[in-house]
């Protein structure tokens, strides 16, 4: 671990030790995770979505994504499907909010209409993948309450393990367990527990790269559904930051233009 990272991690570990409760410790870790990822402005990237069924058979979708950081609010994002032909032109717009319900819309080119995703349908699968609509919003500290569980070594990486409890009553999860590395506060793994508190899915992050000397992004995110045996992998490439996107690039008209 670089000396600077070690000093920062040691300093926060000391402050965590002084925190009165596991709930306060968990909140501090979440706040630090968010704080370290502020200031990137806007981002564009390409993605391959690989759907795997129980037998391991794959189908691949080519996707473009762009995001905008919004001051004092959650991020805005636009996701556009380019291939294969049956999903080409499908576009997904998401406005994340710390306290209010997230707003999400899906444009279906075959129907030539924009469909709003209802708040009580956020736990539904996104485009047949193992990611739910609620998994596609930005991380906002206020969306959860927290409980620090323990420190743990994960694949040789020192991590904090924290339980997160969704505030939103329409969430499909009772809780998430999150492994965050101590050195850089990058999320390494998330376990999702369903409304019956049974393990539903596990999301793992790998191949982190640093951009603009500050912001970490993974090359791969793999979501495994333990109840169905299916999985969805997102392979990211060509990250670009501060490309000049504005709020005008993220509205319902931009959904229909996104070809």
């Amino acid at each position: 671990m670089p000396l600077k990272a070690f000093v920062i991690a040691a300093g926060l570990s000391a402050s965590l030790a002084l925190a009165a409760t596991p709930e306060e410790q968990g909140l501090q870790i979440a706040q630090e995770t968010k704080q370290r990822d502020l200031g990137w402005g806007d981002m564009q990237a390409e993605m391959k979505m690989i759907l795997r069924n129980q037998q391991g058979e794959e189908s691949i979708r080519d996707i473009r994504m762009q995001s905008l950081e919004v001051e004092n609010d959650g991020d805005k994002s636009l996701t556009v499907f380019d291939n294969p032909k049956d999903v080409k032109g499908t576009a997904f717009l998401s406005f994340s909010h710390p306290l209010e319900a997230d707003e999400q819309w899906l444009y279906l080119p075959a129907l030539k209409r924009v469909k709003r995703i209802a708040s009580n349908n956020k736990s539904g699968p996104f485009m047949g993948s193992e990611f739910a609509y609620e998994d596609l919003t930005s991380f906002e500290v206020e969306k959860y309450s927290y409980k620090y569980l323990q420190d743990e070594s994960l694949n040789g990486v020192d991590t904090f393990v924290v339980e997160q409890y969704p505030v939103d009553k329409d969430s499909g999860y009772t809780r998430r367990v999150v492994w965050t590395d101590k050195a850089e506060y990058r999320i390494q793994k998330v376990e999702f527990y369903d409304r019956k508190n049974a393990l539903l899915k596990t999301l793992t992050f790998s191949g982190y790269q640093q951009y603009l000397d500050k912001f970490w992004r993974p090359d791969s995110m793999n979501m495994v559904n333990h109840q169905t045996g299916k999985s969805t992998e997102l392979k990211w490439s060509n990250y670009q930051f501060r490309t000049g996107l504005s709020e005008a690039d993220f509205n319902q008209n931009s959904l229909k233009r996104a070809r």
Side-chain angles (χ1 to χ4, degrees), residues 66-82:
Q66 55 191 44
S67 298
L68 181 71
E69 190 177 30
V70 180
E71 193 172 353
N72 299 318
D73 201 357
D75 303 343
K76 295 186 175 183
S77 66
L78 178 64
T79 304
V80 183
F81 288 77
D82 289 330

Side-chain angles (χ1 to χ4, degrees), residues 83-94:
N83 279 303
K85 197 172 181 180
D86 62 335
V87 295
K88 181 177 173 62
T90 301
F92 174 66
L93 181 66
S94 180

Side-chain angles (χ1 to χ4, degrees), residues 18-187:
L18 294 173
T21 66
E23 289 75 16
E24 290 173 351
Q25 289 178 305
L27 175 60
Q28 283 185 11
I29 292 165
Q31 290 170 332
E32 182 71 14
T33 301
K34 184 66 178 179
Q35 183 63 36
R36 290 193 182 205
D37 198 50
L38 292 177
W40 47 269
D42 68 77
M43 180 199 81
Q44 299 189 54
E46 297 171 5
M47 182 211 304
K48 284 195 181 297
M49 175 185 278
I50 305 168
L51 308 177
R52 297 185 178 96
N53 66 15
Q54 219 169 355
Q55 289 72 43
E57 297 167 333
E58 295 182 354
S59 59
I60 299 175
R61 296 166 173 178
D62 294 321
I63 297 170
R64 287 172 286 134
M65 186 194 173
Q66 55 191 44
S67 298
L68 181 71
E69 190 177 30
V70 180
E71 193 172 353
N72 299 318
D73 201 357
D75 303 343
K76 295 186 175 183
S77 66
L78 178 64
T79 304
V80 183
F81 288 77
D82 289 330
N83 279 303
K85 197 172 181 180
D86 62 335
V87 295
K88 181 177 173 62
T90 301
F92 174 66
L93 181 66
S94 180
F95 294 177
S96 300
H97 302 297
L99 297 172
E100 299 171 16
D102 297 323
E103 301 171 89
Q104 297 178 320
W105 300 266
L106 190 66
Y107 175 66
L108 302 167
L111 301 177
K112 290 190 170 62
R113 74 181 185 94
V114 174
K115 171 188 174 186
R116 182 163 183 152
I117 308 302
S119 293
N120 58 8
N121 195 34
K122 298 292 171 64
S123 61
F126 172 66
M127 294 292 290
S129 74
E130 299 313 305
F131 286 83
Y133 286 98
E134 67 178 296
D135 301 334
L136 304 175
T137 61
S138 61
F139 173 71
E140 306 301 329
V141 173
E142 297 86 349
K143 286 184 175 182
Y144 301 92
S145 58
Y146 301 89
K147 184 179 181 182
Y148 164 78
L149 298 180
Q150 62 196 35
D151 290 359
E152 187 175 300
S153 178
L154 179 69
N155 301 321
V157 176
D158 288 335
T159 67
F160 301 112
V161 187
V162 176
E163 268 188 334
Q164 302 180 347
Y165 311 97
V167 173
D168 184 359
K169 60 179 176 50
D170 291 319
S171 173
Y173 311 119
T174 54
R175 60 190 172 106
R176 313 190 318 173
V177 181
V178 180
W179 283 255
T180 304
D181 75 60
K182 294 183 178 182
E184 301 290 351
Y185 286 75
R186 300 167 297 195
I187 296 176

